[in-house]
Amino acid sequence: MAWAPDGGQAGSTLQALRELASGPRGLTEDEAELRLVRHGANVLPGRRPAGRLRRFGRGLRDPFTAVLLCLGLVSAALASWGTACVITVLVTVSAALRTAGEHRADRAAASLRELIATTATVRRRPAPDAPPAHRELPVDELVPGDVVVLGPGDLVPADLRLLRATGLTVHEAALTGESAPVDKRVPDLAEGAAADGEYLCYQGSSVVSGTATGVVVATGGATRLSGALPDSRRGARERRTTPFDRSVNGIAWTLVRFMLLTAPLVLVASALLRGRGMETLPFAVAVAVGLTPEMLPVVVTAALARGAAALARGGEVIVRRLPALHDLGAVDVLCVDKTGTLTQDRPVLDRAVDGHGADDPEVLHWAAVNALWTLQLAELPVPDALDEAVLDEAGDAVVDAGEEYEGVAALPCAPGRPLSTAVVRRAGDSRFALAGSHLLVVKGAPEEVLERCALDAPERERLLRRAGELAADGLRVLAVARAERRPAQGRAYGPADERGLDFTGFVALRDAVAPTAAEALSVLADRGVEVKVLTGDHPGTAARVCRELGLEPGEVITGSHLDGLPDEELAPLAARTTVFARCAPEHKARVVRALRAGGRTTGFLGDGVNDLAALRDADVGVCPRAGVDVARETADVVLASKDLTALDRAVLAGRRSTGNIAAYLRITLSSNFGNVIAMLVAGLLLPFLPMLPAQVLVQNLCFDAAQLALAFDRPAAATLHRPARLRPRDLLRFVTAFGLLNAAADVATFAVLALSHGGAEEAFHAGWFTENLLTQAMVMLLLRCGRHAAEGPAPGPIRLATTALAVVGLLLPLSPLGPALSMTGLPAVSYALLAGVLVVYGVGLVVARRRYERADGR
């Protein structure tokens, strides 16, 4: 049933105009203004952009921030105002950085709309009795009943019913995913109801060729484009739990459970072994704060924002959601469409053969004659892409054909007519049996051309099979035939003359592959990213393109095959299949969901309305700038072009950011874990607190400030060759091993201080404070991402931060602030003994790091 504004069976064009209270001359300006008030602007329903306060509130919802806020409240309740203020500042800075980064990304994405045509040619009248005039109006001012004029290259600004059309073909890939243009026409009254959608042009499609006039039947939220949007897109955009969420939440809750255990353990142990009461509570809170990676929200946001800013600076990639940059680095399977991504969206000639499959230059010659004179005589609004491909391949022979033959007439392709004919003449040409005769050169769909050839049935079937074999190889096949005719007297050439043709051969065309696609696929494979092709095209076409690019297609699975599969069977099939062809939008979304269900981190690159479901269901949705507006809004990442090379750069940026975040977690948690163990041991063995709460606070402040430099590190090259994920189990294994090593260094420091000072409290505090900051500076240098000498020295920010940390550790106890923090200077022998401990600890770190890397396969 054809679509109509009232949802019922479509009537005649006149009936549609009556229902819309319009006419071929268009609306008056006054009536258009009234309808604009009644129907609203012609804009798609969308989510209201979140304000800064709302973004700031969202930045406070991650587990670490919640834990820090709870610790801040406990510190305030205990009158530990310094700790409470520091925690408040850290939380505020983190949320502010995230808010600013996402706000900049949304502004950059919104600015892309300025690069897209936003006007339409509309026929309106200034008064009821005035003649109509064509005006260029903003698309959002269109109303139902407006008469719109379309030409080649125009975007369809609203849902239209055609009033007149000449050779109109429309590209509806944004809606359907089909790469071939669709013929549109106005049905004759005698035909009755036309095919569904044949006389309708939908918003979001574009005119390939021809001209047309249509009346607007739906705008804004009433269009088919709006109806294709998922429900979540019409209101607030809901996102699935992403790999970033799962990783950070897993690490956070592991630490939360450990913290909730640590503080009571300190209190109970102190009460049982030392007889201390609630006076130990501030120390227990300080221990819990010491275990918490307070700077994690700040470092995560800074690392991701730095990577996103670097990508946006070149205008190639805009990250609309900062955590999506981490998810890009974690992607291990990328689903892409064929058209425009792997290919250039234009055909090229693959071969020209005779009826037996042998190469024949004569076939290309006559195909070029047909293409040249069809383009010159038919006055097509837009050159046919297949004709241009033939002429490009013919090269200089095109000039010869133009000089050798004179065009007489042309019968171009048209809706329902998949062939073209060029009529040429040349007196005395030896190719012609009769001097001065005309030659009809016909080119088009094999079944149509062969039907017009003078062939017996077996030969025609043989040639059709040959054409089928070429098509099965992923080629678009055109047959070429010709026939001599005496000049028509007093009449024009027509389809009746296209009979009794002599078959010449076949020309076969293929999609031109994108120049960077093969290299990009190879690079992505080297980086551990598997590419899968999800396309609406023919299976043979998709497989051929993949083979040309060095991507083995294997068995191609079609959308019809997926229809009969339950989800539990689809998951393993999706994992082992490279190419899915004849895919509808729901097929793409099912494949993406199946890959995610199988534990893969899945990215999806799409640009049309038919890709919205898959963009939403993927871990990372990627859309090129030229994609439809709703696809860009749904995507997490926007590319300047539909180019896998730009996407590879975004993947690398994501892995760098994730590597820096992982380095921060490894360094911070192993140091904090070792310090907590040492505090517990010292607290149980010493008659005084091993470190006062104020000293713990100052130490944490110094270390936290230094760790911000890790956001500027250069990750090791090895981390860029595989998907980067924050794995809680791997992190726990690392933290346990290196934390125990850190605790051993602390216990050795206790022994040194006990031997050299006899357990004096202020000297003990000063010695451990100094040793802690020096070991933390050493850990930052030795356990950072780019830690091998071959990768160059540490970046300037890290060298500056570690130097400052060491200087503070050495000089603070000797400064006027030392006595205020209950610390005193140490004799030279103590510094010498501490240096020995640090040397042994450094050697231990290097040995443990190398063993860990070998076990990790680096």
Side-chain angles (χ1 to χ4, degrees), residues 787-793:
R787 52 197 171 274
H788 299 299
E791 293 161 6

Side-chain angles (χ1 to χ4, degrees), residues 584-623:
E586 60 271 18
H587 297 138
K588 296 181 180 181
R590 281 195 69 199
V591 170
V592 167
R593 290 196 299 268
L595 290 168
R596 294 182 74 243
R600 309 293 296 274
T601 303
T602 307
F604 182 84
L605 174 59
D607 60 356
V609 175
N610 61 311
D611 296 322
L612 287 180
L615 284 169
R616 187 186 70 251
D617 288 338
D619 290 310
V620 187
V622 184
C623 178

Side-chain angles (χ1 to χ4, degrees), residues 48 77 88 139 141 159 237 315 329 403 468 532 641 666 681 780-781 790:
R48 185 179 179 180
T88 302
V139 167
E141 294 184 12
D159 285 359
R237 178 168 171 258
E403 295 176 350
K532 295 184 182 292
S641 60
R666 287 196 301 266
V681 172
M780 283 184 65
L781 284 175

Side-chain angles (χ1 to χ4, degrees), residues 256-282:
V256 167
R257 287 191 290 267
F258 192 75
M259 286 166 49
L260 294 176
L261 178 65
T262 300
L265 182 62
V266 171
L267 288 173
V268 172
S270 297
L272 292 178
L273 298 179
R274 290 293 176 181
R276 300 173 185 141
M278 292 304 293
E279 67 270 16
T280 315
L281 183 58

